[in-house]
Amino acid sequence: DSPPAPPALPILQVDVEIEVVSPWRAALAGAASSMIARTMISPLDKAAIVMQVQNTGSLSSVLSKFQAEGIRSMWQGAGVNALRVGVFGGMVTVGYAWGLKLKKFEEYNRTEPFWRGALGSITSVVATIVTQPLDVIRTRLTLQSPTQAHTQYQGIWHTANSIARQE
C-alpha cells in the first residue's frame, strides 16, 4: 500500500485594496527614497562609470583611483545624482498615482499586472527623458579628477552652462 497523500494546502486568497495617496505625497516619498538610496550607493555608481569610461573591468584600477583622489571623491557628482534620481522618483510615483486615478484605467481593472506594468513603464520613459540632461551633468562631474590643478567644471550650474555654450 502507498502512504496517504498529504492534506491539500488551503488556497490563500488576498483581497487587495489599493489606497491611492495624494500625488504630492507620492512625489515626496518617491523623491526622498530615491535620493537616499542613490547617495548610499554613490561609490559603486562612480566605480561603474570609471570602469566604463576607462574601458577596464579591473577593480584594482578603480581602488587605486579612489586612493589617489581621497575618500571624498567617492561621492563626487553625488549632489547632481541625488537631484536627478529625486526628480525621476518623484515623477514616476506622481505619474503612477495619477494614472491609478484615471477613470479609463479603472475600467481595465487597475489591479491587473499588465496595466500596472504599462503605467509604470510609461511614467518611467517620461521621467527618463526629462532627467537625461542631469545624467549627462552627473557623468561629467563624476569623471573629473579633484586632484587636477584646474577642474573643468565647478558645479551643476557651471557644467550645464558650459555644455550649453560649448556643445
Side-chain angles (χ1 to χ4, degrees):
D1 291 312
S2 63
L9 295 175
I11 295 175
L12 179 64
Q13 283 189 309
V14 178
D15 291 329
V16 177
E17 189 172 317
I18 299 172
E19 179 185 339
V20 180
V21 298
S22 83
W24 303 116
R25 284 181 64 191
L28 183 61
S33 64
S34 297
M35 292 170 78
I36 291 168
R38 189 53 70 148
T39 302
M40 297 296 289
I41 65 162
S42 189
L44 294 174
D45 196 35
K46 180 171 181 172
I49 291 171
V50 168
M51 286 194 294
Q52 289 171 0
V53 171
Q54 291 181 351
N55 200 18
T56 177
S58 169
L59 188 59
S60 63
S61 66
V62 173
L63 290 175
S64 65
K65 183 172 179 62
F66 286 154
Q67 286 174 340
E69 295 177 356
I71 195 155
R72 284 190 59 185
S73 74
M74 296 171 76
W75 281 271
Q76 188 176 358
V80 71
N81 200 20
L83 176 64
R84 179 184 69 86
V85 298
V87 170
F88 182 90
M91 287 183 69
V92 167
T93 53
V94 115
Y96 193 76
W98 276 340
L100 288 176
K101 288 183 174 184
L102 292 175
K103 184 69 176 162
K104 191 73 169 172
F105 193 65
E106 287 178 5
E107 292 174 15
Y108 290 114
N109 183 6
R110 64 181 177 194
T111 60
E112 187 177 325
F114 173 79
W115 295 111
R116 294 172 77 80
L119 180 59
S121 296
I122 291 167
T123 58
S124 293
V125 166
V126 171
T128 299
I129 291 168
V130 170
T131 60
Q132 186 60 34
L134 289 172
D135 196 33
V136 171
I137 293 169
R138 171 191 63 117
T139 303
R140 300 282 176 95
L141 287 171
T142 299
L143 289 175
Q144 88 180 353
S145 174
T147 59
Q148 294 172 339
H150 174 341
T151 55
Q152 185 175 0
Y153 304 113
Q154 276 82 43
I156 297 171
W157 296 116
H158 180 260
T159 306
N161 286 333
S162 296
I163 291 171
R165 276 188 273 116
Q166 296 170 5
E167 298 176 19

